[in-house]
Every structure is written in structure tokens, then in C-alpha cells.
Amino acid sequence: MNQPTIQEITDEIMALARDKSWGTEPEDVNLPEKFALLHSEVSEAYEAFRRDNFDGKDGVSEELADIAIRLLHLSVIFKVDLAGEIAKKIERNRSREWNHKNETLSNKNAK
């Protein structure tokens, strides 16, 4: 079976948006609420990671899919060329430098 393209996935997401009343136009959505829901999906992915649940229901993989669905939904509603924006950001990041030497997975401010 061939993997669907991002455009095919996006078309399916927008069909769901129509069927489930998620909104298909900017005036149909409460953007702060959609951002909060996107954030909640990120939190759910983190919680799945903490539980060492990577696959299956409520696993990291499923939560990452939820993040992508919400992101693609918003990109269509607000007419954002997400692929183009990602390509531009990748190009910008090629010349960007990060200093990760002092980063740890624990709370850096803990005493």
C-alpha cells in the first residue's frame, strides 16, 4: 500500500473538519482554543513518553499524529503554505548555531 501524500492527508483532515464541525474558515474557529488544543496534544505526547508508551492507543506515535492533524488543519484554514514555510525554516536553520552544551533533561534551575 502506498503512503498517502501530505496533500491527500490534508484533504482527509479537511473532510473530517467539515463532517465533525471543527471549522473550515478562519471565522469558524477560536484560534486561541485551537492553539491550546495543539499544546494539549504536545503535553499528551510527553506524558506518553514518560509512561514509555511509544506505540498504540495514547502512545507517542498517536499523539504526534494528533499534533500533525491539528497543525495541518490550522495551516489550511489560515492559508499557510506549511511545506513552503518548513522549507524556508530549514534553510534558515542551516546557517544557525545552537549551544546545547549546558542543556540537560532535568530542570536546570533546580537546586
Side-chain angles (χ1 to χ4, degrees), residues 50-104:
R50 289 183 61 206
R51 292 187 315 271
D52 200 29
N53 178 9
F54 284 84
D55 298 310
K57 178 149 176 45
D58 300 324
V60 172
S61 299
E62 184 175 273
E63 298 306 334
L64 291 176
D66 286 340
I67 292 165
I69 289 167
R70 290 197 179 279
L71 184 61
L72 289 168
H73 177 226
L74 289 176
S75 72
V76 172
I77 289 174
F78 291 98
K79 296 177 179 35
V80 173
D81 173 11
L82 195 56
E85 292 299 323
I86 290 170
K88 286 192 289 189
K89 185 62 178 180
I90 289 170
E91 191 56 38
R92 221 174 295 137
N93 285 348
R94 289 187 198 285
S95 61
R96 185 176 167 196
E97 291 189 28
W98 286 270
N99 179 359
H100 296 294
K101 279 193 282 189
N102 296 322
E103 291 182 6
T104 65

Side-chain angles (χ1 to χ4, degrees), residues 39-51:
H39 183 272
S40 74
E41 298 297 354
V42 173
S43 295
E44 289 171 10
Y46 176 64
E47 286 303 314
F49 167 78
R50 289 183 61 206
R51 292 187 315 271

